[in-house]
Amino acid sequence: MSQPQQPAAQPKSVLRGHLTQVHAATFIRHNERLATGDADGFVVLWDLTIMRPRAVWRAHNAAILGIAGWGDDKVITEGRDNRLVVWKITPTDEENLSTDLPLDESAPERPQPWILHILEINTMNFCSFAQCSTRQDTDPAVSDELFVAVPNTLATEAVDIFHLPTQNRISTVHLGSKAEKKGMVMALSLFWRDESLFLLAGYENGLAVVARRRHGGAWDILYKYKAHSQPILSLDFAPDKQYFLTSGADAILAKHPIPNANPTTPLVPVSKRAEKPETGGTNTGPDEARRQPTGAGTSVPSAGLTSTSSSSNTETPPHSLPKKVTDVEASPLKIVDTKHSGQQGLQIRSDGRIFATAGWDSKVRVYSAKTMSELAVLKWHDVGCYAAAFSMVNGGQKETFDEPEAGPQQGAVQGEPNAAGESPAAGGNGIATVTAVGKLGELSVKDRRIRMAKDAHWLAAGSKDGKISLWDIY
């Protein structure tokens, strides 16, 4: 006798208000706000304690490509109008902004928040910006300075790195030669590891590249591999920074290593064929971050991030600093053909256990980060999805984490999907909600809502229909 099918998972909430497709989404202020951007350039800050808009303004005259928080009082947006803007917006500032949603075309002109910085950049690539702190030992959420990576204005295969708040371009990175015909940069990521700044880039021809800045400002290519037959649409690195994932216009999901670039560790020759081992790379050792050996304040960007091409510097750095790399690794950790083309907005959750993609076929898919097996298919929208975003769990940024022990939480993540392709855990019974129930009764209604918003394991999906579905999973 066959078991009855479980009902399909449903979102905890649906946020309606955008008139055009939602291109970008991110959680800010410790998950109390969800920021979304649409094809008309509107940004909406949603209050997740009441599921209502707190601030609405038109940030750009063209489609939003990317959006991110910078601390609790700033939001960064990037639009197709060739501008990257840093907005100052605090909870107090929200009171002076409009809550008229973009759907309301009769609304008066909406005031904008205070503009702190504007960068004139290239957005022909449809590539969202990447950001990180200017120091390894500083959390981007509290840092007063940022590095921002965007495609170069003239050479669309190169990457510009800017410094905020000075707005100075401090480096132009050429990842290989033009003869490779990589096409445009389509996806970027920027982060620190082992005292070095790393850059991840995905290209129009399906190539993924890892580069590392060494002392003196030159950039070494540590890894490159073409796993996709069509353009890479999104990429994201794991919290332990040992690997990153890519998705593309084809049906491929690929897991790539982020090599250690240790002179005592041999690298795989470029000519070696790709293999598909089941597990990723090894840990690099202690996770304690040490300060970059440069001066304080604005001396950091001037300490070596100059316009360079890869592997062009022949200086001998100090023993404790990264050395020049002559070999390039070219073996992905795993490649999976999902049979579902057009998955974008890939994001790994901050605990490193799962990742999600937004599909052109209207479905949001959740995968195990360890095995890359499909765990859940979330179907609510009738048209394509373009953006996916996880809230921060365990109260942190992307940091090194310990592999969880076997137990209820591990089982929930790696549980098998049902016949409809949905996991029983993909409903509203989030693990964090269960563990917090005992304390919620002691709080006021307002505090209880704030607590639930912060503790929920949110997954937000933005769609072509202008709606955002909110799921509480795993």
Side-chain angles (χ1 to χ4, degrees), residues 101-114:
L101 289 163
L103 272 176
D104 185 2
E105 298 182 85
S106 63
E109 185 175 354
R110 302 165 180 85
Q112 291 183 332
W114 186 262

Side-chain angles (χ1 to χ4, degrees), residues 179-194:
E180 295 179 88
K181 297 182 179 180
K182 300 183 296 292
M184 298 187 296
V185 177
M186 301 296 291
L188 290 169
S189 195
L190 194 65
F191 61 90
W192 289 93
R193 193 188 75 179
D194 301 333

Side-chain angles (χ1 to χ4, degrees), residues 286-353:
D287 298 320
E288 298 155 1
R290 292 172 291 180
R291 284 185 178 272
Q292 191 80 346
T294 58
T298 57
S299 62
V300 176
S302 62
L305 276 179
T306 54
S307 181
T308 61
S309 61
S310 61
S311 303
S312 63
N313 198 325
T314 58
E315 67 173 315
T316 303
H319 177 71
S320 62
L321 294 172
K323 298 181 179 180
K324 182 177 180 179
V325 175
T326 56
D327 295 321
V328 177
E329 188 168 338
S331 289
L333 300 175
K334 193 167 186 179
I335 297 176
V336 176
D337 186 352
T338 65
K339 311 298 182 185
H340 308 293
S341 60
Q343 297 188 64
Q344 65 182 67
L346 185 151
Q347 188 172 50
I348 304 174
R349 197 167 67 178
S350 58
D351 61 1
R353 293 183 172 92

Side-chain angles (χ1 to χ4, degrees), residues 106-420:
S106 63
E109 185 175 354
R110 302 165 180 85
Q112 291 183 332
W114 186 262
I115 295 178
L116 297 177
H117 310 288
I118 298 178
L119 288 178
E120 300 293 336
I121 59 173
N122 167 35
T123 57
M124 184 178 68
N125 297 34
F126 295 93
C127 175
S128 179
F129 68 96
Q131 68 177 69
C132 75
S133 174
T134 57
R135 288 184 177 273
Q136 175 171 303
D137 56 2
T138 305
D139 189 333
V142 298
S143 176
D144 292 330
E145 300 178 80
L146 285 183
F147 288 147
V148 176
V150 295
N152 180 260
T153 303
L154 300 178
T156 55
E157 76 281 357
V159 179
D160 285 338
I161 299 180
F162 288 88
H163 173 263
L164 290 175
T166 66
Q167 302 181 205
N168 294 329
R169 183 173 62 182
I170 53 179
S171 183
T172 296
V173 187
H174 296 273
L175 301 176
S177 65
K178 292 184 178 180
E180 295 179 88
K181 297 182 179 180
K182 300 183 296 292
M184 298 187 296
V185 177
M186 301 296 291
L188 290 169
S189 195
L190 194 65
F191 61 90
W192 289 93
R193 193 188 75 179
D194 301 333
E195 301 179 341
S196 295
L197 186 63
F198 281 74
L199 174 67
L200 310 179
Y203 283 91
E204 189 178 7
N205 72 339
L207 179 71
V209 178
V210 178
R212 181 212 62 189
R213 179 176 67 90
R214 56 186 160 90
H215 184 65
W219 289 80
D220 292 321
I221 296 178
L222 305 184
Y223 169 88
K224 59 165 51 178
Y225 187 78
K226 185 176 180 294
H228 300 269
S229 61
Q230 296 187 45
I232 290 177
L233 299 177
S234 56
L235 58 80
D236 196 16
F237 63 89
D240 61 3
K241 301 173 184 176
Q242 297 299 308
Y243 70 89
F244 68 104
L245 303 173
T246 57
S247 68
D250 54 13
I252 295 296
L253 291 176
K255 179 185 286 188
H256 309 268
I258 303 176
N260 297 329
N262 188 325
T264 61
T265 304
L267 296 178
V268 180
V270 178
S271 59
K272 183 171 180 179
R273 299 290 294 177
E275 298 176 358
K276 300 179 184 179
E278 288 298 322
T279 57
T282 57
N283 293 329
T284 58
D287 298 320
E288 298 155 1
R290 292 172 291 180
R291 284 185 178 272
Q292 191 80 346
T294 58
T298 57
S299 62
V300 176
S302 62
L305 276 179
T306 54
S307 181
T308 61
S309 61
S310 61
S311 303
S312 63
N313 198 325
T314 58
E315 67 173 315
T316 303
H319 177 71
S320 62
L321 294 172
K323 298 181 179 180
K324 182 177 180 179
V325 175
T326 56
D327 295 321
V328 177
E329 188 168 338
S331 289
L333 300 175
K334 193 167 186 179
I335 297 176
V336 176
D337 186 352
T338 65
K339 311 298 182 185
H340 308 293
S341 60
Q343 297 188 64
Q344 65 182 67
L346 185 151
Q347 188 172 50
I348 304 174
R349 197 167 67 178
S350 58
D351 61 1
R353 293 183 172 92
I354 58 176
F355 69 95
T357 61
W360 293 350
D361 61 357
S362 77
K363 299 178 177 65
V364 177
R365 291 180 170 83
V366 182
Y367 298 87
S368 164
K370 182 176 181 180
T371 65
M372 297 185 69
S373 58
E374 188 178 275
L375 300 177
V377 178
L378 307 179
K379 168 63 176 172
W380 185 85
H381 300 276
D382 293 325
V383 291
C385 294
Y386 298 143
F390 280 113
S391 61
M392 286 291 175
V393 298
N394 301 328
Q397 296 285 332
K398 283 198 168 185
E399 297 174 348
T400 303
F401 67 100
D402 296 325
E403 189 67 23
E405 298 178 358
Q409 189 167 355
Q410 177 91 350
V413 172
Q414 297 188 2
E416 291 296 325
N418 60 25

